[in-house]
Amino acid sequence: VWQRKAAEDLAASKTEWERNAAGDLAASEEEWRQKAADAVAASRKAWEQKSADAAKHAWEQKAAEDLAAASEAWQHTATQEVAAAQEEWARTAAEGLAASEEAWLQKTTEDLAAAEHEWRHKVAAAVAAAEEGSQQKMAQGLAAAEKVWQEAE
């Protein structure tokens, strides 16, 4: 009886142990699977973040390089355009000044020629008055000629 009882207790204990071991094994396996899934998710999230950061950095770097190149090209173009505008302005100003000087010289020459003609006419009138014997007309003619000459100067 005693052996039979010990065998039954041993069999019951073994069954309970196997049942507990199977439960512990299932719980341990589920815990391991959850931890593995969490680790895979965390690893994936870290990889995605790292990839996003690398892509952002590469994009920012490329944008900065493109901006620097565009700025340099713009400065080069602007410098050339300013130089061309300055050359054009200088040429136009020189042409305008030369034309203005030429027009002024032409006008001055014409004005002087007209004043000389009028002065000669007044002097001739004064000489004619002197030849007629009129001192007053001669003085008035010379004064008028002098006035014409002063205005011409």
Side-chain angles (χ1 to χ4, degrees), residues 21-39:
D24 289 348
L25 182 61
S28 177
E29 184 178 344
E30 182 58 32
E31 184 181 341
W32 178 86
R33 283 185 185 175
Q34 186 59 48
K35 285 183 179 181
D38 290 347

Side-chain angles (χ1 to χ4, degrees), residues 42-146:
S43 176
R44 180 177 177 204
K45 186 175 182 179
W47 179 82
E48 287 173 349
Q49 184 63 45
K50 201 174 207 180
S51 294
D53 290 347
K56 180 181 175 189
H57 178 72
W59 180 85
E60 288 173 344
Q61 182 69 28
K62 177 73 169 124
E65 290 170 2
D66 289 351
L67 182 60
S71 177
E72 186 177 325
W74 177 83
Q75 287 177 341
H76 180 70
T77 301
T79 300
Q80 287 179 328
E81 288 175 357
V82 166
Q86 286 175 334
E87 287 176 15
E88 177 66 17
W89 178 84
R91 186 183 59 74
T92 302
E95 289 172 358
L97 184 59
S100 177
E101 286 176 354
E102 188 176 316
W104 175 83
L105 185 58
Q106 180 67 30
K107 176 80 169 111
T108 302
T109 301
E110 290 170 1
D111 289 350
L112 283 175
E116 183 182 0
H117 178 72
E118 187 179 348
W119 177 80
R120 287 183 187 274
H121 178 71
K122 301 269 186 205
V123 169
V127 169
E131 289 175 355
E132 291 177 10
S134 172
Q135 291 290 327
Q136 185 178 4
K137 281 187 176 181
M138 183 184 83
Q140 287 173 346
L142 288 175
E146 180 66 23

